[in-house]
Amino acid sequence: MARIARGSRAQRWTAAGPRDPRPEPLAGEEPLEVRLDGEPFTVTMRTPGDDLDLVAGFLVSEGVVAAAAQLRAVAAGAGVTAEGRRDDNVVDVRLGPGAVPPAAASQRHVYVSSSCGICGTASVEAVRKASRHAPDQDPLRVPVDQLLVMPDLLRERQRVFGRTGGTHAAALLRPAVEGAAGSPEVLCVREDVGRHNAVDKVVGWALRQDLLPLAGTVLQVSGRASFELVQKAAMAGVPVLSAVSAPSAAAADLGEETGVTVVGFNRGDRLTVYSRPERVVAGSVP
């Protein structure tokens, strides 16, 4: 679970003036170094917690791995601090058969901020990744009522956001299919100061559970749908990405290209479908 860090005493103001300072809970944000087979790969800013999921999902997004068997081992605390103590902000990954180690030219030699998932990529070509899964072939059809309840199901589980107001969230859900009874099943929820990190944590959880490709699922996010989030969905084989805010033009175009249904402005009583609309069907689940 994402961690809450208490900041220094903060002072709240109203139009009437300041109130007495008091401690305010804040979402944690710390650097995480990722090593591949002992060699430095990247450093990313993230909210500590679910770090092994984050790293596994990040490697799916980078096209390094596509199945659980391709991760031989993922170990936290792989570094040593200047004081000689174990450094929990370092994770080392040992790749297994079938993994595709990144070429030296595409390795990230600078840090990735919590607001940017593709910063530090060495070339424009390296931004685009080819998925080893095929969301465009997924036969999923989702009743619109199933999609409309997903933001609330996510919000109910945003514990860190509820206390700090400072995290994004992502949820992986399996909707009840057209003609079947029931509500969407919430498989996994993760939070982070970076929306791309929250998605990586969800995808990494699924990878470590050996659930990829994520056919028949919906990825619900708390913010907007960016190009990189659509790409992350495609890399994991997710057929539907739903966001409470708008997608970018590049996100909608990539959804059409990769076969991911991109849904935006999903806010309880309405939504807008920007790509592959045939997956969303009228009516409700009995």
Side-chain angles (χ1 to χ4, degrees):
M1 178 179 173
R3 298 176 197 163
I4 295 173
R6 290 196 174 274
S8 59
R9 293 174 67 82
Q11 190 172 63
R12 293 189 179 185
W13 282 70
T14 67
R19 299 182 181 181
D20 291 337
R22 64 179 186 181
E24 288 285 337
L26 300 172
E29 184 177 25
E30 298 178 16
L32 179 71
E33 180 184 346
V34 181
R35 298 175 182 173
L36 295 183
D37 294 323
E39 296 297 323
F41 177 53
T42 192
V43 176
T44 183
M45 297 299 295
R46 95 300 187 197
T47 300
D50 306 304
D51 287 339
L52 302 187
D53 290 344
L54 170 61
V55 172
F58 179 75
L59 294 178
V60 172
S61 298
E62 291 293 299
V64 176
V65 299
Q70 294 168 2
L71 279 184
R72 187 156 48 90
V74 186
V80 178
T81 67
E83 295 78 22
R85 296 192 299 269
R86 163 178 154 151
D87 189 350
D88 289 328
N89 286 329
V90 179
V91 172
D92 186 51
V93 177
R94 302 291 166 167
L95 299 177
V100 181
S106 67
Q107 290 190 16
R108 301 191 180 202
H109 298 293
V110 298
Y111 86 97
V112 180
S113 75
S114 55
S115 61
C116 179
I118 58 177
C119 297
T121 304
S123 67
V124 174
E125 293 77 11
V127 170
R128 298 294 294 267
K129 310 292 182 183
S131 177
R132 286 185 260 181
H133 307 303
D136 60 320
Q137 302 298 315
D138 196 308
L140 178 67
R141 297 292 183 270
V142 187
V144 66
D145 281 9
Q146 290 274 299
L147 283 171
L148 289 170
V149 302
M150 290 182 182
D152 287 340
L153 293 175
L154 173 59
R155 180 64 185 87
E156 290 167 2
R157 292 161 174 80
Q158 289 180 248
R159 296 185 179 90
V160 178
F161 179 84
R163 292 187 60 190
T164 68
T167 56
H168 292 277
L172 184 68
L173 304 103
R174 193 178 302 282
V177 296
E178 185 180 9
S183 300
E185 178 187 4
V186 181
L187 302 176
C188 179
V189 175
R190 293 288 185 265
E191 294 182 83
D192 199 279
V193 289
R195 63 179 180 272
H196 58 90
N197 286 345
V199 170
D200 280 343
K201 287 179 177 181
V202 166
V203 171
W205 170 86
L207 177 81
R208 298 176 68 217
Q209 298 294 316
D210 202 14
L211 296 177
L212 264 61
L214 288 168
T217 64
V218 176
L219 182 62
Q220 176 68 50
V221 296
S222 60
R224 63 186 179 88
S226 63
F227 172 93
E228 62 178 325
L229 295 194
V230 176
Q231 180 161 268
K232 288 176 185 294
M235 296 298 286
V238 176
V240 181
L241 172 66
S242 171
V244 299
S245 192
S248 66
D253 290 345
L254 185 62
E256 194 64 41
E257 177 186 331
T258 59
V260 174
T261 298
V262 176
V263 175
F265 295 110
N266 188 351
R267 298 180 179 177
D269 61 350
R270 63 182 175 86
L271 54 79
T272 305
V273 185
Y274 293 88
S275 65
R276 301 297 177 115
E278 66 275 5
R279 283 206 181 93
V280 181
V281 297
S284 61
V285 170

